[in-house]
Amino acid sequence: MPKVPTDDPNIYEVFAQSGQSTGLNHVGSLVSPRPEFAWHLAKETYGRRDDLVNLWVTRRADLIVSEPADRGLLAAKTRMPHRQPGFPTARRRDRSSAPVASADPQADRAVADDPAGHRRPDDEATTARRDLGAARGPELSDLWLALADDLFVLGNRLGAHITDYIDLEEALAVGSIGQEAVAHAGTILLLCGFDQAAVDAWFFDRRHEQWQVSRALERVLDWPSLVAGGLLIAAAVTVLADETLGLEPGAAHLPPIAAIRQEQQVHLEHWRRLAQALTTWPETAAEFGLVHARVTEYGGDLFGAVPQGIASGALPTGPAPVAQLHERLAALIEQDGVPTSRLPASPQQRAVGRGGSALAESLNRGRSVRDGYAAGVFR
Amino acid sequence: MPTATTAGHRYYELWDPMPDDVREGARRFATVQALNELVGVLQYVEWLDRAPSHTRRQMLMAKIQDEVGHGHVVARVAEDLGMPREQILVDYLEGRLKIHNIFHYSFQTWEELGPGLLLTNSAAIQQFQSLAKGVYLPYSRALRKVEREESFHYQHALDLTHEILTHGDATQRRRVQQGFELWLPRILAYLGPPDTDTLHGNRMWQVGMKPDGNDAVRQAWLTKIIPVFRKLGVHVDPSLVSQAPSGEWQFAQPDWAATKKIIANGGPSSQRRLDYVRRVLDRNAGYRRALRGVA
Ligand SMILES: [Fe+2]
């Protein structure tokens, strides 16, 4: 976590720029007993040799600095490769070296429907396995799959709210949280053994009736409900990630789960700061209290996934400790410091194919371009 | 004292004493750009929930976030020069600031998006590369950050266009062609009226805020982007744009009177943009105050 590195008011950090084409560089620090000496001492200490164009001095106690543990969060290139200019280029290159797609849409459909190549969400075998699983209760992977639905829906809502202009810096944070939520949804499916085409089929070709979105996200359409919903989903993902990380320490699937956990922890803290602001600000307190109560009341289903009979892939197998997870979620929500939580005492089952007409409409819009194209065109 | 002096121009940091024209010009450039980034992005937001694959959605969301980020960095430049960020959007709603002609339209089809974005991004890159040579250093730095992200947007647009031209059917490919033909004249107009004869009388040119004329930027842009479209397999009809043996590009002059009307909120999506901005500012005013902790 970023921190203020010292409370010693006499230490100063020095930044110098030696030419117009280079930026300011950190060149060192010094001790100055009085603030009005600091810049002059810096000039004598660090500015004796070069022709400087700029010399800036600031108190170390006024800095907020990253720690080594923050490095993962700072590795933007690694975490979000789709933001790099090289990403679309590499996509095209990979694709042109792949077998040429047939020009006949029907033939393409046949390829896409090949069960060996693509996992499909709606085949009969899946339904049969789902019935079998329902009797046994959900596995860990079922819980993850349901949370992937939540993350995908939430991430897309956040994407649309980048331009809600609560403030510009906040808009950018919302953009990152949205992209990460959508990325996490995809990673979860990959961990469950999907390939990228199957990920797309899952999020874009599945009918509304097959989604298991938490009721907490049903009416997440304005700012207070996004804050409350974001808070709740981040808490649930954090709890489930902790559980998963504790089961098979050292297993191969752990790094992506650990990365998801680290980013969701950041989301959780982000939403907590906003929830605090909305709770303590007189103008918004009552409204946010109502919204938060509604969202948490509906959030009882976060670990109530209905088994889908999808193999667990790289994730650990075995029944999920739903009641314990729910308890841990409740404990985590306590720490938010928002007094209006109405999370039910025990977990509720998710409703399959619900999520309100707003959800159905947005899923349909998501298919509208895709449906006009032969299968396999969009990647 | 200015911060540095090169090639006859002085360069300024925020706290350097500088001519009023430089300060005023920098504030105006940054303000207008901030508005256009913040409102222009709405064109793409309208398509976010239709982006047809997981990766596409990620990339489009990244682009939207970047555009708001561009708005943010230039709004910071404007704020430091005395233009508060709220005022930028309020001035737009109250008619004191206008958005560029290209942001008064909406994309009608997914296929139109690729060529439209490719033309817009490449023109913006060309323009920012020119403006980044200007004398107000904080604005130049902001533009260099923006340019770096625009190169991702450019590749993204190229990829969108290429995907449909390579894998789409005849109708879909034809819509890409139509998109190119629809947007090319709009971008030609976006780059501004001819100014070869008047540039040296332009105060912003004189003080070093506008290093190149509209014609120079437009010609350089066409030289770069037209071959890209040809290589993609888009037909560039000589009636739209053609190159003389001298290398100079010729094109039908945009209808400047019509462009002016569009900029005065007379375009097909002008009202929709105004309504959107008014709605989000109104409904979020209380939350914004809560976030800042200021009544
Ligand atoms: Fe931009």
Side-chain angles (χ1 to χ4, degrees):
Chain A
M1 281 295 114
K3 63 172 187 190
V4 175
T6 181
D7 52 11
D8 184 336
N10 295 327
I11 305 178
Y12 291 81
E13 298 292 346
V14 184
F15 301 83
Q17 186 182 18
S18 50
Q20 211 52 247
S21 55
T22 59
L24 278 174
N25 280 316
H26 181 239
V27 290
S29 63
L30 57 85
V31 172
S32 173
R34 301 170 69 102
E36 64 269 31
F37 293 177
W39 188 88
H40 299 279
L41 294 172
K43 178 175 75 69
E44 302 312 330
T45 316
Y46 296 103
R48 292 195 303 271
R49 292 285 180 282
D50 297 320
D51 290 341
L52 298 181
V53 293
N54 267 308
L55 181 69
W56 293 11
V57 174
T58 184
R59 261 201 179 113
R60 185 180 284 176
D62 289 336
L63 294 175
I64 301 166
V65 300
S66 58
E67 293 197 288
D70 298 322
R71 218 159 282 166
L73 295 173
L74 294 173
K77 218 176 206 165
T78 324
R79 289 191 309 113
M80 290 282 137
H82 69 272
R83 288 201 265 228
Q84 305 301 322
F87 183 82
T89 323
R91 247 164 79 86
R92 274 200 307 288
R93 211 175 29 240
D94 293 352
R95 197 163 180 177
S96 62
S97 61
V100 181
S102 162
D104 172 8
Q106 289 314 312
D108 276 350
R109 287 271 177 224
V111 173
D113 285 351
D114 174 11
H118 297 266
R119 185 192 289 275
R120 287 185 310 121
D122 55 350
D123 64 6
E124 283 172 31
T126 302
T127 314
R129 285 198 299 273
R130 182 185 298 156
D131 295 341
L132 204 75
R136 277 208 320 263
E139 299 211 354
L140 210 58
S141 57
D142 292 313
L143 266 49
W144 276 114
L145 281 172
L147 277 180
D149 279 3
D150 295 340
L151 286 167
F152 187 80
V153 168
L154 176 69
N156 279 288
R157 293 270 162 82
L158 290 171
H161 274 77
I162 295 174
T163 47
D164 217 24
Y165 297 142
I166 302 296
D167 210 345
L168 298 181
E169 288 84 356
E170 175 60 19
L172 296 173
V174 163
S176 289
I177 294 174
Q179 282 170 72
E180 284 161 13
V182 172
H184 295 169
T187 305
I188 290 166
L189 297 197
L190 294 175
L191 283 168
C192 289
F194 289 57
D195 63 11
Q196 193 58 44
V199 169
D200 285 337
W202 185 259
F203 289 130
F204 294 91
D205 298 338
R206 210 168 22 138
R207 292 190 311 271
H208 170 229
E209 295 76 40
Q210 294 168 302
W211 286 69
Q212 283 196 38
V213 180
S214 166
R215 286 195 72 198
L217 293 182
E218 226 163 70
R219 279 165 58 205
V220 173
L221 296 165
D222 59 7
W223 185 246
S225 61
L226 267 175
V227 172
L231 189 62
L232 194 60
I233 301 297
V237 178
T238 308
V239 166
L240 190 58
D242 280 341
E243 170 68 16
T244 311
L245 290 168
L247 282 180
E248 292 173 23
H253 65 271
L254 294 185
I257 298 278
I260 289 176
R261 192 207 178 282
Q262 190 181 24
E263 290 176 2
Q264 290 289 335
Q265 175 77 38
V266 173
H267 303 178
L268 180 64
E269 282 157 15
H270 180 88
W271 297 128
R272 269 185 182 160
R273 285 191 293 274
L274 288 165
Q276 285 291 335
L278 292 171
T279 302
T280 50
W281 188 249
E283 189 183 356
T284 52
E287 186 200 12
F288 183 68
L290 285 174
V291 168
H292 185 258
R294 189 194 76 221
V295 168
T296 46
E297 185 176 1
Y298 286 169
D301 65 359
L302 280 164
F303 295 123
V306 176
Q308 316 208 42
I310 305 271
S312 62
L315 294 169
T317 51
V322 171
Q324 283 176 37
L325 291 168
H326 185 83
E327 259 171 50
R328 274 183 246 159
L329 176 65
L332 193 58
I333 285 179
E334 282 291 298
Q335 294 170 28
D336 294 342
V338 182
T340 39
S341 173
R342 296 237 301 264
L343 193 75
S346 56
Q348 327 274 305
Q349 189 162 69
R350 285 194 186 228
V352 181
R354 287 269 303 279
S357 60
L359 177 68
E361 199 183 297
S362 104
L363 296 177
N364 286 336
R365 272 170 75 78
R367 276 194 297 269
S368 61
V369 168
R370 195 174 161 91
D371 279 352
Y373 277 76
V377 167
F378 294 122
R379 297 191 182 174
Chain B
M1 275 289 288
T3 286
T5 312
T6 25
H9 271 305
R10 293 164 163 200
Y11 293 81
Y12 304 94
E13 290 290 353
L14 168 62
W15 33 74
D16 294 337
M18 67 186 97
D20 287 348
D21 283 336
V22 171
R23 186 181 295 275
E24 265 305 303
R27 180 167 65 190
R28 189 157 51 81
F29 280 30
T31 297
V32 167
Q33 190 181 340
L35 173 67
N36 278 281
E37 301 278 6
L38 296 177
V39 179
V41 66
L42 301 176
Q43 254 178 349
Y44 321 127
V45 174
E46 290 171 352
W47 282 89
L48 179 61
D49 65 358
R50 283 173 281 180
S53 76
H54 185 259
T55 311
R56 238 344 132 216
R57 218 166 262 199
Q58 291 277 78
M59 288 164 75
L60 193 53
M61 213 187 289
K63 180 193 162 57
I64 289 166
Q65 183 192 31
D66 283 350
E67 295 300 353
V68 175
H70 301 168
H72 171 250
V73 290
V74 285
R76 282 294 310 126
V77 171
E79 277 187 316
D80 279 344
L81 293 168
M83 181 60 164
R85 60 179 71 180
E86 302 81 7
Q87 195 63 40
I88 297 175
L89 291 174
V90 170
D91 279 3
Y92 163 62
L93 292 179
E94 295 178 357
R96 287 184 295 273
L97 281 174
K98 301 272 191 274
I99 53 174
H100 299 313
N101 69 317
I102 48 174
F103 297 131
H104 293 268
Y105 300 95
S106 296
F107 295 103
Q108 300 300 312
T109 64
W110 178 252
E111 293 78 15
E112 188 191 323
L113 198 62
L117 286 181
L118 199 49
L119 289 163
T120 310
N121 283 144
S122 54
I125 291 172
Q126 198 68 47
Q127 206 171 40
F128 296 160
Q129 279 173 348
S130 169
L131 290 172
K133 296 182 291 184
V135 295
Y136 186 62
L137 293 166
Y139 184 51
S140 301
R141 280 194 291 271
L143 286 172
R144 276 198 291 276
K145 179 189 188 297
V146 169
E147 266 175 55
R148 198 178 151 212
E149 292 171 356
E150 288 292 351
S151 83
F152 159 65
H153 301 173
Y154 174 86
Q155 293 298 338
H156 170 240
L158 198 61
D159 187 50
L160 272 174
T161 313
H162 183 267
E163 184 167 71
I164 298 165
L165 288 176
T166 315
H167 303 282
D169 64 24
T171 311
Q172 290 152 354
R173 292 198 302 270
R174 197 167 50 243
R175 287 200 205 114
V176 173
Q177 177 71 38
Q178 288 164 345
F180 168 77
E181 289 165 8
L182 190 62
W183 280 88
L184 183 74
R186 292 176 184 171
I187 310 289
L188 287 168
Y190 156 78
L191 288 169
D195 62 353
T196 312
D197 302 331
T198 57
L199 177 65
H200 291 200
N202 183 322
R203 189 70 191 130
M204 287 300 110
W205 181 82
Q206 291 168 352
V207 301
M209 282 302 295
K210 182 178 169 63
D212 299 297
N214 299 343
D215 296 306
V217 172
R218 190 164 23 230
Q219 289 288 328
W221 168 67
L222 287 167
T223 302
K224 276 189 202 148
I225 198 64
I226 294 300
V228 171
F229 274 98
R230 287 199 174 122
K231 203 175 157 209
L232 278 165
V234 171
H235 169 66
V236 181
D237 199 273
S239 67
L240 273 176
V241 61
S242 66
Q243 202 168 19
S246 65
E248 193 178 330
W249 294 92
Q250 289 157 342
F251 47 87
Q253 272 301 314
D255 182 339
W256 294 110
T259 305
K260 211 173 160 187
K261 275 192 200 131
I262 286 167
I263 293 173
N265 291 323
S269 295
S270 307
Q271 197 55 44
R272 180 157 33 159
R273 301 275 180 270
L274 286 163
D275 290 346
Y276 181 97
V277 172
R278 186 168 293 121
R279 200 167 60 239
V280 299
L281 287 189
D282 285 352
R283 83 167 169 223
N284 291 326
Y287 311 136
R288 200 171 307 116
R289 285 190 287 269
L291 192 70
R292 296 187 189 167
V294 191

